[in-house]
Amino acid sequence: MKAEWRLFGFLTAFVAAVTPLYAWWTHNQTGGVEWVGTVALILTGMLCLMCAGFFLIVTRRIDPRPEDRPDAEIVEGAGELGFFSPGSYWPFGVALSAFVTALGMVYMQIWLIAAGIGAVLLSTGGLLFEYYTGSRRAEH
């Protein structure tokens, strides 16, 4: 996890350095600061900082992974990487629900927004608990 927090730390530093430069540049070009881009850069920096902090905390809590150690062998990284669903229709439901919600926002239809948010919650729950209930339940 060393590489991850260093990468996000570098991105945070870069965005923090570019943001005042961008604000100064737009102020000189247009006579006023372009606030949408400036705020977007500030929020991007905060998001990168949040990711860097998360990876830094996780790095300190877990043992070093093979890719973090210079003396590691390739074979140490072999093995199971996790469980990946072989086929699921829930992501389609989540995307369709998000589309309905966005469509409601475009046309400012409160009932469509509410229906879309409800569908997003239901489909996200279905995706989350897909392997805990029903015929796909994993027996331990």
Side-chain angles (χ1 to χ4, degrees):
M1 294 275 177
K2 276 185 181 179
E4 289 89 349
W5 78 261
R6 287 181 180 166
L7 174 69
F8 280 103
F10 172 76
L11 286 172
T12 302
F14 175 76
V15 172
V18 167
T19 302
L21 181 67
Y22 178 81
W24 172 78
W25 184 269
T26 59
H27 179 71
N28 285 345
Q29 294 295 319
T30 63
V33 175
E34 199 273 314
W35 287 107
V36 174
T38 306
V39 171
L41 285 169
I42 290 169
L43 293 175
T44 301
M46 291 169 60
L47 181 62
C48 288
L49 181 64
M50 182 179 68
C51 292
F54 169 77
F55 285 125
L56 181 62
I57 290 170
V58 169
T59 300
R60 292 182 179 179
R61 288 187 179 175
I62 64 172
D63 294 330
R65 299 177 304 170
E67 50 268 16
D68 292 333
R69 296 189 345 253
D71 64 333
E73 297 292 327
I74 293 175
V75 74
E76 291 181 54
E80 186 176 329
L81 296 177
F83 174 75
F84 300 96
S85 179
S88 175
Y89 294 109
W90 286 109
F92 178 73
V94 173
L96 186 63
S97 304
F99 172 72
V100 168
T101 306
L103 204 61
M105 289 180 177
V106 167
Y107 292 112
M108 290 305 298
Q109 298 294 318
I110 302 299
W111 66 273
L112 197 55
I113 295 171
I117 289 174
V120 165
L121 293 174
L122 287 173
S123 58
T124 304
L127 179 64
L128 179 64
F129 294 113
E130 179 175 14
Y131 289 96
Y132 294 103
T133 61
S135 63
R136 290 187 163 189
R137 182 177 180 176
E139 300 296 328
H140 291 100

